[in-house]
Amino acid sequence: MFVFANFILAVAKIADILLTIYMYIIIARAILSWVNPDPYNPIVSFLYRSTEPVLSRIRRILPDLGGLDLSPIIVLVAIYFLQSFVVRTIYDLGYKMKLGMGVMP
């Protein structure tokens, strides 16, 4: 049982790291939107390709605010929620399994 508990804890840690990395990518994309970056720069291209699928879905839902893009803020709040609720729940599940409390007999 401890092997499965360690697996659950590793999944939670990887999810936390990936969400943190994506949060920083979203922040970098938002900062780049304030300037006029070279679209042929590989870093700028990577930032746009990795964030546009998520941001475009949020933009479709939000009303038009006249040039004000709130989609990065919505995504950052969603990432914070996922880290605070989902990842911590997975951590708690793994630790309970590791301590032998079990989830359900």
Side-chain angles (χ1 to χ4, degrees):
M1 186 60 96
F2 73 92
V3 175
F4 187 65
N6 286 338
F7 176 75
I8 294 291
L9 290 172
V11 167
K13 184 65 176 174
I14 290 171
D16 192 28
I17 290 170
L18 290 176
L19 286 169
T20 301
I21 290 170
Y22 198 70
M23 180 178 63
Y24 286 124
I25 290 173
I26 293 285
I27 291 170
R29 162 78 187 262
I31 291 172
L32 275 179
S33 71
W34 299 341
V35 296
N36 191 11
D38 178 21
Y40 299 108
N41 185 326
I43 295 173
V44 174
S45 177
F46 167 75
L47 289 175
Y48 278 100
R49 281 185 289 120
S50 62
T51 58
E52 192 56 33
V54 175
L55 294 177
S56 66
R57 288 182 184 158
I58 301 296
R59 278 191 213 110
R60 277 188 259 149
I61 297 170
L62 292 176
D64 185 21
L65 298 173
L68 183 62
D69 187 13
L70 296 179
S71 59
I73 295 172
I74 303 292
V75 172
L76 290 176
V77 169
I79 289 173
Y80 182 76
F81 171 77
L82 289 172
Q83 286 180 319
S84 297
F85 179 70
V86 176
V87 173
R88 285 193 184 162
T89 302
I90 296 171
Y91 270 128
D92 290 343
L93 176 69
Y95 283 124
K96 282 184 181 180
M97 290 175 72
K98 196 168 191 172
L99 294 174
M101 293 178 197
V103 183
M104 294 296 272

